[in-house]
C-alpha cells in the first residue's frame, strides 16, 4: 500500500496557506435561513436592532446570507500565524490498535494555550471591537475555554476583557480562572453584585452558585449599560461559524494534497461552532452537488438537542434576554444532568447546523454516553499521545465506532473528525472515570416534556 | 528588511527531517569526562555495575564517550513523528513589544501532552527496556512532567510504569497525577509502604510528605528488588542529554534554512536536559572551532548550582543511594527554598554541562529571581500566545534581557532560547504571581555552607 507510506503522520500547511477568506455557508444553503426574532414583537431583527449588543461589523456578518466569502483582515491572519495552520493528523496508531482498514484523520485545534478552536473566533470578534474604537468586550464562560481564548485575543490587541464566569465553575476550576487573569482579563464570579440581574438573584439567594444563563444575562447587561463595551459569544451564532470555517478550509487543503476525500465527517456538537467550522468546504461541495461526505453530529446523551429536541424558535439563554433563534432545542428551561463535557451542555444548537440537519445535509445526529466517551478518550490518549477534551472525545467515540464497522465490512473508508481541544483542565472528569465513579445520566421523556413546556409560542411567517 | 518578511512565524520541518541519529557531545569534548564513582570504593563504575539499575543499552549509552552519533531505532522515530519535529518560532510579537532590533527565536517543546521536552528521552528509555524484554520501569516525579512523559511512552509500548510521586506534589497537583493514571501508570505516593526505604521513613514519621530524594530511593529500590524492572531518570544523566540532542539538531536544521546562526543560545538549567539538548549541534560547532555561539545557562536564584555551587563529586540524590557524579552542586543535603519552578530545584547539575561550563564552552551561568521570571512569562504569554512553564520562563527572562541590551546598542543579534514547556499545570504559581503573594527566596552564604558540608570526601585520580 503505497499510500500508507506517503501520507505523513501530520500534514502541515505553510503559513501562506492560511485561508484569506472566511467561507459563509449561508450563501450556499438551499433553504431560506430563519431570521432572529424580537421575542416581544415576533419581528425579524435588523442590523440596528443588534448594534447595541454586538459591534457593527459582526452584526453585518451575523445577517449576511449572500456573500459566499468574506475577506479576513491581515491583522487577524497575522494572529492566526502564531498557531495556525493547525495540523491534520493521520491516526496511524489508533488505526493499528483497532485493526481497521479505515483511514482515520483528525484536524487538531488544541495546540494553542486556550486549548481549543475557540481562539479562531475570539481574535476575530476582539479585532472588530477594537476597529470600532471600543474599550472592551464582555462575555460569559462556563467550562472556561471560550473565556481563555477571548482573554488571549484581548491581551494581544490591548482590549479590556470582562468574563462572567459561572461561580461554581470558577471555584471548581480555579486554574482556568488564573489563565484568564494571567492574560489580563477581569474574571467576575456570576451571579455578581456588578449587574442588576446579578444583584436581584443574590438578594433572593446569596448562595446561588450561578448558571450559564445567568452569566449570559450579566454579560449582556454589562455590555449594553457600560460605555464602549459590546458583548461577544463563542458559539451558536452565524458569525462564529463563519470564523470557524478556516478549520474546514485548511482540512480540505491538507487532504487534497494527498487526493483524500472524506467519506465520513464527524464533529461533536454543543453550540455547533466546531462541526460548523470543520464541515465548511465539504458542506459547500455537498450543497452544490460536488461532493457527498456523510456528516455526523455527535452530542451527549445527557443533552440530546438534535436527537430528541424540537426544531422550533427559542431563546438562546435560560434568562430569556436574547433574541429568538430557530433551532433544535430542548427548551431554554431544560436542565441538563451533570455532564463533564461542559462545552456540550447547551440546550439549543447553532441555527445553521439545525437547518442543515433539518434539510438532511447533515446526515445523522448521534447521542453517546459519557462513560463510552471516556473509554474512547483513554484509548486515543494511549495510542495517539494527545489527551483529548471530553467534548472532542465525543467525536473520537463515533470515529472509532465507524472504523470498527469498516473492520467488519473490510471497507477502507476515509474518516475525518475534529479534535477540538485538549483535556488538561478537565482532569476532575478523568479522575471520576479512572476511579470508576462516573455515571451516565440520560433525561427521561418526562424531563424533556418539562423542557419543551418552556418553548415560546411564536408564529412563523414563512 | 527583506529577511523579516521571508522568515515565517513558525519554521516547520517535515517528518523526514527528524534526526536519524542522536548526537553524543562527549565524543567531541576536549576534557576527559569524569566517570561515575562507586561511593563505597571510589572506583569508576563499569557497564556491569550499572546493569542492575539501568537496562543494558542505556548503560552503554551512559558510558559511551567515543561515538559521535548513535542511530535512533525506527520505532522511536515513529513515535517522534506523532509530535515532532517541534516548531522553531520567530518571536515577532515579543520583538515588537520590546522594540528591539534583535531577532528572537525559540524552539517550542511543549506541544505534546506531557507538556515538555521530557517525552524525547522517555520514549527512548522505555523502548530499550521493552527491547530487553523487561516488564516495566520505575521512576520518581516531583513536578510531574517527567512522570507524565514516561507514562505516555509506556502506554504506547505496553510497558508497566510505576511512578513514585512526592506525596506533597501528588496532593498539590492531583490533576498531574490523573494524567499519569489515564495513561495507565501506577502512581504511588512517596514515602510509601511498598519499599523498605519508605517503610522506615513512615515508621519514624507517618506524616512525612516526601521529597524527591526519598522518591528516587524508593524507585531505585523497587527497580532493583523486583524481577523484570529497571529504573529510569528524566535528566542529569549522559543518556538523557544524548536523547535530547534531537532538539538542537532540529533547531540547527530549521535556522540553517534561513541562513541564521544564533549569536546567543539560552536555556534554563535544572538537571540540564533541556539546555543539553538545545545546544547539541551548536556546541559541536564550538568544540570543533566551527561556530562561536555564546551559551547562557539560566538557573533560579533560589537554587544556584552553577553560579554559587562547587565543582565536585557528589551524590545525585538526598538519600545517597546513587553513584557519585562530578558536577556543580550545592551538596546533596542542600534544601532549596520553595520555588515554584519545581523542575529547577535540583541541587546538582548534569555532569556534561558542568564540565562544559567548567571548561568555558558554556560561557555564562545566570541566576534570576522568581518574580522577574513570572513578569517575563506574563509578557511572553500576552504577546506570543503560549503560556510558558515557570522553568521555561527562566530562559525567556534572560532572552528578554539580552534583547533589551540589543535595543541599547542597536545590534540585531540572533537570540535562540528553549521554550521547554507549557505552564498549564502550574497555575498555582501563576495565581501567587497574579495575587502579588509571590516571594523570592535566595539562600544565604550560611545556607550554602551547610549544603557544602554534606559533600563526600573523594579522591579524584585524574
Amino acid at each position: 500500500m503505497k499510500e500508507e507510506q506517503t501520507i505523513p503522520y501530520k500534514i502541515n500547511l505553510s503559513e501562506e496557506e492560511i485561508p484569506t477568506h472566511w467561507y459563509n455557508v449561508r450563501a450556499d444553503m438551499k433553504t431560506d435561513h430563519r431570521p432572529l426574532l424580537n421575542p416581544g414583537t415576533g419581528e425579524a431583527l435588523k442590523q440596528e436592532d443588534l448594534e447595541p449588543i454586538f459591534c457593527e461589523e459582526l452584526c453585518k456578518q451575523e445577517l449576511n446570507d449572500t456573500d459566499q466569502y468574506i475577506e479576513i483582515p491581515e491583522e487577524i491572519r497575522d494572529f492566526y500565524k502564531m498557531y495556525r495552520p493547525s495540523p491534520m493528523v493521520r491516526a496511524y496508531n489508533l488505526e493499528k490498535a483497532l485493526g481497521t482498514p479505515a483511514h482515520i484523520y483528525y484536524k487538531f485545534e488544541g495546540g494553542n494555550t486556550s486549548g481549543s478552536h475557540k481562539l479562531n473566533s475570539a481574535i476575530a470578534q476582539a479585532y472588530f471591537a477594537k476597529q470600532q474604537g471600543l474599550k472592551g468586550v464582555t462575555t460569559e464562560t462556563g467550562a472556561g475555554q471560550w473565556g481563555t481564548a477571548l482573554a488571549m485575543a484581548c491581551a494581544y490587541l490591548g482590549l479590556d476583557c470582562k468574563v462572567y464566569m459561572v461561580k461554581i465553575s470558577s471555584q471548581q476550576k480555579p486554574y482556568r480562572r488564573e489563565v484568564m487573569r494571567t492574560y489580563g482579563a477581569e474574571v467576575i464570579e456570576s451571579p455578581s453584585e456588578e449587574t442588576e440581574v446579578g444583584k436581584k438573584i443574590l438578594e433572593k439567594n446569596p448562595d446561588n452558585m450561578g448558571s450559564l444563563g445567568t452569566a449570559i444575562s450579566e454579560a449582556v447587561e454589562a455590555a449594553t449599560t457600560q460605555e464602549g463595551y459590546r458583548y461577544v459569544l463563542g458559539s451558536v451564532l452565524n458569525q462564529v461559524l463563519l470564523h470557524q470555517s478556516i478549520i474546514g478550509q485548511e482540512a480540505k487543503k491538507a487532504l487534497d494534497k494527498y487526493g483524500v476525500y472524506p467519506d465520513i465527517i464527524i464533529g461533536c456538537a454543543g453550540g455547533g461552532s466546531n462541526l460548523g467550522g470543520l464541515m465548511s468546504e465539504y458542506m459547500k461541495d455537498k450543497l452544490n452537488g460536488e461532493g457527498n461526505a456523510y456528516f455526523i453530529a455527535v452530542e451527549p446523551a445527557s443533552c440530546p438537542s438534535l436527537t430528541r429536541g424540537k426544531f422550533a424558535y427559542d431563546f438562546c439563554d435560560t434568562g430569556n434576554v436574547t433574541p429568538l433563534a430557530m433551532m433544535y432545542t430542548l427548551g431554554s428551561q431544560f436542565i441538563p444532568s451533570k455532564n463533564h463535557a461542559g462545552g456540550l451542555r447547551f440546550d439549543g444548537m447553532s441555527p445553521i447546523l439545525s437547518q442543515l440537519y433539518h434539510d438532511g445535509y447533515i446526515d445523522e445526529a448521534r447521542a453517546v454516553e459519557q462513560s463510552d466517551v471516556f473509554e474512547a478518550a483513554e484509548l486515543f490518549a494511549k495510542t495517539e499521545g494527545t489527551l483529548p477534551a471530553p467534548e472532542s472525545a465525543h467525536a473520537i467515540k463515533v470515529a472509532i465506532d465507524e472504523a470498527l464497522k469498516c473492520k467488519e465490512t473490510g471497507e477502507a473508508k476515509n474518516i475525518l473528525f475534529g479534535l477540538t481541544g485538549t483535556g488538561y483542565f478537565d482532569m476532575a472528569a478523568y479522575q471520576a472515570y479512572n476511579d470508576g465513579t462516573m455515571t451516565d445520566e440520560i433525561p427521561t421523556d418526562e424531563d424533556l416534556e418539562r423542557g419543551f413546556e418552556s418553548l415560546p409560542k411564536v408564529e412563523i411567517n414563512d
Side-chain angles (χ1 to χ4, degrees), chain A:
Chain A
M1 295 211 281
K2 187 168 173 288
E3 192 197 343
E4 296 279 342
Q5 289 160 340
T6 53
I7 296 180
Y9 280 69
K10 297 179 278 5
I11 307 176
N12 287 315
L13 301 175
S14 73
E15 280 165 27
E16 287 68 44
E17 292 172 292
I18 292 175
T20 55
H21 292 71
W22 289 305
Y23 167 63
N24 181 16
V25 69
R26 291 181 65 194
D28 287 319
M29 283 170 71
K30 306 301 173 194
T31 308
D32 270 358
H33 196 78
R34 311 308 212 296
L36 293 172
L37 299 186
N38 179 320
T41 65
E43 280 176 23
L45 291 177
K46 294 192 223 50
Q47 172 86 13
E48 56 267 34
D49 301 317
L50 294 173
E51 284 185 1
I53 306 176
F54 304 114
C55 70
E56 287 168 30
E57 193 58 36
L58 293 171
C59 294
K60 277 187 210 159
Q61 294 180 2
E62 191 61 30
L63 299 172
N64 189 331
D65 59 2
T66 49
D67 296 324
Q68 195 183 28
Y69 284 95
I70 295 171
E71 192 170 2
I72 306 174
E74 202 187 329
E75 293 85 342
I76 297 178
R77 281 170 47 86
D78 276 348
F79 186 87
Y80 285 158
K81 285 178 188 168
M82 290 203 297
Y83 69 102
R84 303 198 73 82
S86 71
M88 169 66 76
V89 187
R90 172 78 184 266
Y92 281 114
N93 293 317
L94 178 61
E95 290 171 18
K96 202 162 72 179
L98 297 173
T100 177
H103 296 189
I104 307 175
Y105 298 88
Y106 57 92
K107 181 77 171 158
F108 179 45
E109 290 288 323
N112 67 78
T113 289
S114 83
S116 84
H117 64 297
K118 297 281 180 183
L119 197 53
N120 302 331
S121 185
I123 184 62
Q125 295 189 49
Y127 172 80
F128 291 117
K130 180 86 178 174
Q131 279 299 98
Q132 195 174 320
L134 296 173
K135 199 177 157 202
V137 290
T138 72
T139 198
E140 75 290 329
T141 202
Q145 288 175 327
W146 166 246
T148 306
L150 190 67
M152 290 173 69
C154 288
Y156 178 81
L157 294 169
L159 203 64
D160 269 11
C161 178
K162 290 189 188 192
V163 181
Y164 289 85
M165 187 170 191
V166 178
K167 191 182 278 180
I168 182 76
S169 292
S170 167
Q171 296 186 356
Q172 285 176 347
K173 293 190 169 190
Y175 294 157
R176 263 286 180 202
R177 187 186 64 216
E178 288 309 318
V179 178
M180 292 182 256
R181 286 182 71 205
T182 302
Y183 283 92
E186 184 186 353
V187 183
I188 303 146
E189 289 191 341
S190 167
S192 78
E193 294 284 354
E194 305 208 357
T195 65
E196 294 307 316
V197 175
K199 275 184 209 164
K200 264 186 207 160
I201 291 170
L202 290 175
E203 221 165 79
K204 274 192 203 160
N205 176 13
D207 298 327
N208 186 302
M209 292 306 283
S211 72
L212 208 53
T214 303
I216 294 177
S217 305
E218 287 202 85
V220 171
E221 183 187 320
T224 49
T225 56
Q226 290 175 63
E227 188 69 24
Y229 284 83
R230 289 296 184 282
Y231 170 71
V232 295
L233 185 66
S235 192
V236 184
L237 297 174
N238 302 335
Q239 59 187 268
V240 178
L241 269 72
L242 177 75
H243 304 148
Q244 296 296 358
S245 67
I246 57 173
I247 302 173
Q249 292 184 66
E250 285 183 9
K252 186 147 191 297
K253 219 174 275 186
L255 291 181
D256 279 355
K257 292 197 179 192
Y258 292 90
V260 173
Y261 199 95
D263 298 297
I264 306 174
I265 295 175
I266 302 164
C268 62
S273 72
N274 153 57
L275 178 56
L278 179 66
M279 71 180 185
S280 63
E281 291 285 324
Y282 293 111
M283 184 54 79
K284 176 184 154 194
D285 284 355
K286 190 159 188 169
L287 288 164
N288 293 303
E290 291 165 6
N292 195 22
Y294 186 86
F295 290 89
I296 306 177
V298 190
E299 58 186 14
S302 60
C303 195
S305 328
L306 289 168
T307 50
R308 296 173 70 195
K310 291 194 172 165
F311 189 48
Y313 262 109
D314 197 6
F315 291 96
C316 300
D317 68 320
T318 326
N320 292 1
V321 302
T322 68
L324 299 179
M326 184 72 181
M327 59 184 178
Y328 279 88
T329 175
L330 298 166
S332 65
Q333 302 311 308
F334 173 78
I335 299 164
S337 54
K338 264 192 189 176
N339 187 304
H340 292 291
L344 304 179
R345 294 189 68 215
F346 178 53
D347 58 88
M349 181 57 65
S350 143
I352 289 176
L353 285 195
S354 294
Q355 190 69 53
L356 288 170
Y357 178 57
H358 190 68
D359 294 344
Y361 289 101
I362 290 175
D363 300 85
E364 185 186 340
R366 204 178 292 179
V368 292
E369 293 184 25
Q370 168 156 263
S371 47
D372 296 334
V373 165
F374 275 83
E375 190 185 350
E378 190 192 303
L379 175 63
F380 184 82
K382 286 182 174 174
T383 53
E384 289 293 316
T386 300
L387 187 87
E391 291 86 352
S392 322
H394 284 68
I396 295 173
K397 162 66 181 154
V398 170
I400 289 175
D401 287 347
E402 292 301 311
L404 290 175
K405 279 187 203 164
C406 289
K407 190 177 178 176
E408 282 181 23
T409 62
E411 290 170 290
K413 285 189 182 173
N414 291 311
I415 299 172
L416 168 64
F417 73 89
L419 187 70
T420 54
T422 50
Y424 308 147
F425 290 91
D426 299 287
M427 294 317 299
Y430 276 95
Q431 181 166 15
Y433 177 73
N434 293 334
D435 291 342
T437 59
M438 178 168 278
T439 56
D440 297 308
E441 292 163 38
I442 300 166
T444 63
D445 288 342
E446 290 71 36
D447 293 334
L448 293 187
E449 277 311 316
R450 270 194 298 279
F452 294 143
E453 280 166 18
S454 65
L455 286 174
K457 312 287 171 272
V458 184
E459 289 213 5
I460 303 172
N461 314 302
D462 69 356

